[in-house]
Amino acid sequence: MELVSPGIGLIFWMTIVFALLIFILGKYAWRPIMKALKERDEFIEESLTAADRAKKEMKELKFSNEQLLKEAQEERDAILREGRKIKDSIIEEAREKANEEADNIVENAKERIENEKKSAMIDLKNQIADMAITVAEKILERELSDPSKQKDYIEKLIDDTHLN
Amino acid sequence: MNLRPLAAKLGITIILLIVGVLTMSFIQDAGHGQKEEPTHTENAQDESWQTEVEKEEYNAGKKIIEHITDSHDWHILDYKDSEGHKHHVSIPLPVILYHDGKFHTFMSDKLWHGHVYKGFKLATEGPDKGKVVKVIEENLINPEIITKDEGEVDHLPLDLSITKNVLAIIISSILLIIIFVSIANRYKRREKQAPKGLQSLLEPLIVFLRDDVAKDSIGEKYERYMPYLLTLFFFIFFNNLFGLVPIFPGGANVTGNIAVTGVMAFFTFLITTFSGNKNYWQHIFNAPGVPWWLKFPVPLMPVIELIGMFTKPFVLMVRLFANITAGHIIILGFISLIFVFGNIYIGLGYGVSIVSIMFSLFMSLLELLVAFIQAYVFTLLSALYFGLASEEHH
């Protein structure tokens, strides 16, 4: 019977001690602990979401970076190709032009040479003719003053011509 | 299922037991043999001790009840000195009595060995055994306890003594405060950091109580019940564990005392009743979904619900008390077996001790589990009752 009959004193002290315990622990232990736990939970959750977001952003960034890199590479390739093409065409064109120019120059030169030659010939001919006339004049002037000598000269001329 | 290892273990155990019993009997026989020689004084003393023990009647039931009930002193141990005198080692506790409009305060060692102090004495038998009773003034030389029928004054003073259980409650409460306030400071100091040390040992329990007990049972308004639920859980859990420690300051059967569990159940009842909303009272007095003839003219359902309000905490009280007390009784029973058999024949006592120690070890381990489960069940059910009382219409 003594097992199931509660003692008044024990009930009294238990009530006081337990009520005090609830109060003290509630105020100085459970409240700060629950607050700290809650704050930490929120902090962890926030950090996790932030990390997740950062991860996603990074993924996007990486993706866009790759895309950018790829594009840049393609562009570079395209530019290079274009440049090479342009270079080739420029070289080709230049060569053609140069050839043409050279041809032209040669042609011109030839033409000019021909012309010069012709004019030179004409000049020469004229000069020779002049000279011949002058020579002939002078010869004729001198030789014809003396008939014997004229004769000698003529003979000599004929000899020369003959010899020529 | 492979029963082979189990069978093998059982076989080994039985063989060990038999060997143990035989060895112990043999050692005892050897002792008896040596006793014959007068030169061996030590053995002679042993023998005298043995004979004295044999003379004493060992009453297991009485011993067990003494261990699990409250008392006015904290008994540590008994021993016999070389002359065979029996010594009690106990911590005296303050006795606080209120009688005839006066307070009487003294230490309980004044009442030891049947002494009468200020007209009070510890009853050694009868229905009030173990309690402080008033003795008749004229009869001080040969004090007799007034029984209720004879005396006009109540022979039982109002006893507000700091008994063994009260001291155990105070010690465990102080320990709880020290532990949890230091943990709280740790939380403040190490804000938003991982728990460390004792903090990380107890944090899983706190989080478990918050998430799996309070949140699940009460719902959104769980936060205001957390201080009570946490205090309740850790108070029961710590005292259950202290109860399993056989030496001071453990060993008091606090949570196996009906007054203690009753007070806790009463707190739960009070909180449940005061947090009851309209919905809760409607469920009690006019339960929806119940045929009208169960409520009128005979208010069967309201009466049942009303009784249910009181049976819930009552069951809480009895469950914890019965579980913890039963555990203590079983362990003490196994220990007592040693002495019961030792009284018959000392070797038998040693032999039985192997079995007894094994079984009480097993029971102690089981009690560790029970210590947690009962604290959890009390807390969970309290939380469920709070949840029922405060839940909104569903």
Side-chain angles (χ1 to χ4, degrees):
Chain A
M1 263 319 280
E2 46 188 329
L3 259 185
V4 288
S5 51
I8 303 291
L10 191 52
I11 291 178
F12 172 77
W13 289 112
M14 173 65 190
T15 311
I16 290 175
V17 172
F18 195 56
L20 274 175
L21 188 70
I22 293 172
F23 174 74
I24 293 171
L25 283 184
K27 188 162 181 196
Y28 297 106
W30 304 133
R31 197 184 300 165
I33 289 175
M34 296 312 289
K35 202 174 136 237
L37 280 177
K38 203 175 175 184
E39 273 171 9
R40 205 177 61 194
D41 283 359
E42 279 166 6
F43 175 68
I44 289 170
E45 204 159 314
E46 258 170 40
S47 306
L48 282 179
T49 4
D52 226 30
R53 209 167 43 226
K55 209 170 149 191
K56 213 180 274 173
E57 269 171 19
M58 204 133 100
K59 217 172 176 182
E60 270 169 25
L61 215 67
K62 207 177 158 192
F63 183 73
S64 66
N65 267 358
E66 265 171 18
Q67 197 82 4
L68 222 65
L69 202 71
K70 214 168 150 191
E71 271 173 23
Q73 256 168 357
E74 266 170 22
E75 208 161 326
R76 189 197 66 185
D77 285 355
I79 288 169
L80 278 178
R81 219 176 299 128
E82 195 90 354
R84 210 169 285 144
K85 216 190 273 173
I86 288 170
K87 181 193 85 180
D88 286 354
S89 70
I90 284 173
I91 288 171
E92 194 65 28
E93 219 169 283
R95 190 178 292 148
E96 263 168 33
K97 231 176 192 169
N99 279 349
E100 214 170 284
E101 198 79 5
D103 283 357
N104 271 351
I105 287 167
V106 168
E107 203 79 11
N108 275 354
K110 267 183 188 165
E111 214 167 287
R112 203 176 279 168
I113 287 168
E114 201 67 30
N115 285 348
E116 292 286 322
K117 204 175 146 188
K118 267 180 192 165
S119 69
M121 277 298 232
I122 292 167
D123 238 19
L124 206 63
K125 269 178 189 168
N126 286 345
Q127 249 168 349
I128 290 171
D130 278 353
M131 270 170 78
I133 291 168
T134 326
V135 167
E137 249 173 26
K138 283 196 174 150
I139 293 169
L140 285 175
E141 259 176 34
R142 215 179 70 181
E143 291 296 315
L144 291 176
S145 50
D146 186 5
S148 64
K149 274 194 184 171
Q150 260 180 18
K151 209 185 171 187
D152 283 348
Y153 186 60
I154 290 167
E155 270 175 11
K156 195 190 159 196
L157 273 177
I158 289 165
D159 277 352
D160 278 356
T161 334
H162 191 71
L163 277 173
N164 269 350
Chain B
M1 283 288 281
N2 193 1
L3 286 172
R4 238 207 193 137
L6 198 70
K9 275 177 196 164
L10 207 66
I12 290 168
T13 314
I14 290 167
I15 290 166
L16 273 177
L17 285 183
I18 294 165
V19 169
V21 171
L22 290 176
T23 320
M24 286 303 165
S25 327
F26 177 73
I27 287 169
Q28 211 38 54
D29 280 343
H32 272 283
Q34 280 172 342
K35 188 211 83 188
E36 309 292 328
E37 293 174 48
T39 46
H40 273 269
T41 46
E42 275 180 29
N43 275 320
Q45 269 165 19
D46 275 359
E47 190 51 36
S48 73
W49 178 74
Q50 283 162 20
T51 45
E52 199 141 329
V53 167
E54 274 162 40
K55 271 182 215 159
E56 264 179 58
E57 188 69 32
Y58 182 81
N59 187 342
K62 197 177 131 220
K63 273 271 183 247
I64 290 172
I65 292 294
E66 267 172 25
H67 271 95
I68 61 175
T69 47
D70 206 358
S71 79
H72 281 281
D73 47 68
W74 202 311
H75 183 225
I76 307 274
L77 57 94
D78 286 343
Y79 69 94
K80 291 233 171 97
D81 59 16
S82 51
E83 282 148 39
H85 293 300
K86 207 172 172 185
H87 291 275
H88 288 282
V89 180
S90 293
I91 298 170
L93 299 171
V95 177
I96 302 164
L97 301 171
Y98 183 76
H99 189 71
D100 281 345
K102 266 190 288 179
F103 275 104
H104 304 273
T105 313
F106 50 90
M107 296 305 279
S108 69
D109 55 352
K110 302 275 199 314
L111 299 175
W112 286 356
H113 312 297
H115 286 303
V116 177
Y117 186 77
K118 285 184 177 176
F120 297 103
K121 133 185 232 291
L122 267 175
T124 46
E125 47 200 37
D128 295 327
K129 183 173 167 294
K131 289 181 184 165
V132 178
V133 292
K134 181 84 181 155
V135 294
I136 307 168
E137 299 277 340
E138 305 92 75
N139 230 359
L140 275 182
I141 306 125
N142 187 18
E144 242 178 71
I145 302 155
I146 321 166
T147 54
K148 227 166 195 170
D149 304 316
E150 289 172 29
E152 282 175 21
V153 285
D154 194 356
H155 71 295
L156 276 177
L158 182 61
D159 189 351
L160 299 178
S161 307
I162 306 293
T163 56
K164 182 181 172 185
N165 279 346
V166 175
L167 186 64
I169 287 168
I170 292 170
I171 290 172
S172 58
S173 297
I174 289 169
L175 202 74
L176 278 169
I177 289 170
I178 290 171
I179 289 173
F180 285 104
V181 170
S182 76
I183 285 181
N185 288 334
R186 184 81 70 93
Y187 271 107
K188 280 186 210 157
R189 212 167 50 239
R190 294 169 48 83
E191 214 177 319
K192 289 173 185 170
Q193 285 182 52
K196 212 174 152 191
L198 198 59
Q199 196 189 0
S200 53
L201 178 72
L202 291 164
E203 189 182 297
L205 282 177
I206 297 172
V207 173
F208 167 72
L209 285 171
R210 186 191 63 180
D211 294 345
D212 293 323
V213 175
K215 257 186 210 171
D216 285 357
S217 318
I218 301 171
E220 296 206 338
K221 281 181 266 176
Y222 76 95
E223 257 172 76
R224 73 171 113 149
Y225 299 106
M226 281 315 288
Y228 175 68
L229 291 175
L230 286 166
T231 311
L232 189 68
F233 177 83
F234 285 108
F235 182 82
I236 299 173
F237 188 44
F238 271 56
N239 278 305
N240 283 349
L241 292 180
F242 274 142
L244 291 175
V245 179
I247 50 161
F248 182 84
N253 186 23
V254 172
T255 42
N257 188 298
I258 202 149
V260 174
T261 61
V263 169
M264 289 188 292
F266 184 65
F267 270 78
T268 296
F269 169 75
L270 277 187
I271 295 172
T272 311
T273 311
F274 279 114
S275 57
N277 56 13
K278 203 181 123 206
N279 196 30
Y280 172 69
W281 294 111
Q282 196 203 338
H283 261 275
I284 288 173
F285 291 114
N286 186 17
V290 174
W292 62 270
W293 45 267
L294 279 176
K295 303 174 198 165
F296 184 83
V298 183
L300 192 62
M301 277 307 286
V303 166
I304 289 173
E305 290 282 354
L306 210 59
I307 293 169
M309 269 177 72
F310 297 98
T311 51
K312 280 172 190 167
F314 184 80
V315 168
L316 278 185
M317 169 179 83
V318 174
R319 180 187 297 111
L320 182 57
F321 153 74
N323 268 290
I324 303 306
T325 304
H328 280 236
I329 288 175
I330 292 170
I331 292 175
L332 288 168
F334 280 124
I335 302 291
S336 291
L337 271 183
I338 301 170
F339 297 97
V340 169
F341 279 102
N343 265 2
I344 300 167
Y345 178 57
I346 192 94
L348 205 58
Y350 282 121
V352 168
S353 71
I354 296 169
V355 194
S356 281
I357 285 168
M358 262 170 39
F359 273 100
S360 35
L361 187 65
F362 170 72
M363 276 311 296
S364 292
L365 293 174
L366 199 66
E367 283 301 300
L368 283 179
L369 194 66
V370 171
F372 177 79
I373 290 171
Q374 287 307 319
Y376 166 65
V377 166
F378 202 112
T379 316
L380 178 71
L381 287 175
S382 294
L384 277 174
Y385 299 156
F386 300 158
L388 277 179
S390 64
E391 86 180 333
E392 293 303 324
H393 195 71
H394 44 261

